[in-house]
Amino acid sequence: MEIRKRRRRSVPSPHNRLHIYILCCADDSFYVGSTIDLDARLASHAQGLGSDYTTCRLPVDLVWFAEFERIDEAFGLEKRIQGWSHAKRQAFIEGGFDAIKGWSVRERALHAPSR
């Protein structure tokens, strides 16, 4: 007798959607985070309970967010944004992905040693 395991498909559900968000802190730095309940998480940040980083940089303002059905895609984008410079995050907030197309190439060109 052969036993086969059934693979469970990940079915998108409104109950497990993840939000990626960017906050602008009082010192003009950005905080990038993720949550299932955006309103509750923003309230936590406002009360100084959201994260160690934002606690000492209050008040914070929500400047960008997106909703994802797939958690792996959400976390992937969160980690990418966390690795960006302040200037790149600012450009993204103001103009989305179109505003940062080719950004890495431009940054390398700006910082490359002159010949």
Side-chain angles (χ1 to χ4, degrees):
M1 175 192 280
E2 183 178 332
I3 300 174
R4 292 185 183 183
K5 292 183 179 179
R6 290 181 60 183
R7 294 181 75 187
R8 291 182 60 183
R9 284 191 184 166
S10 176
V11 179
S13 163
H15 303 293
N16 66 0
R17 291 189 180 180
L18 190 69
H19 292 87
I20 303 302
Y21 61 94
I22 302 175
L23 301 176
C24 183
C25 301
D27 64 356
D28 288 327
S29 64
F30 293 119
Y31 175 83
V32 181
S34 59
T35 185
I36 292 173
D37 187 341
L38 185 59
D39 291 331
R41 186 68 171 149
L42 294 175
S44 292
H45 281 294
Q47 295 169 6
L49 305 171
S51 75
D52 289 341
Y53 186 85
T54 58
T55 296
C56 60
R57 292 172 172 83
L58 295 174
V60 295
D61 293 312
L62 179 66
V63 292
W64 180 88
F65 74 94
E67 185 178 277
F68 292 82
E69 290 182 357
R70 292 186 47 147
I71 290 174
D72 59 329
E73 290 176 357
F75 282 131
L77 180 58
E78 178 185 10
K79 294 305 172 195
R80 279 179 52 202
I81 294 171
Q82 286 173 343
W84 294 348
S85 68
H86 184 275
K88 186 172 183 176
R89 290 180 190 182
Q90 184 71 48
F92 175 71
I93 291 163
E94 292 173 1
F97 286 105
D98 288 341
I100 61 169
K101 277 186 182 171
W103 189 273
S104 296
V105 173
R106 284 195 304 267
E107 284 294 299
R108 282 195 298 270
L110 288 173
H111 300 295
S114 300
R115 291 184 188 208

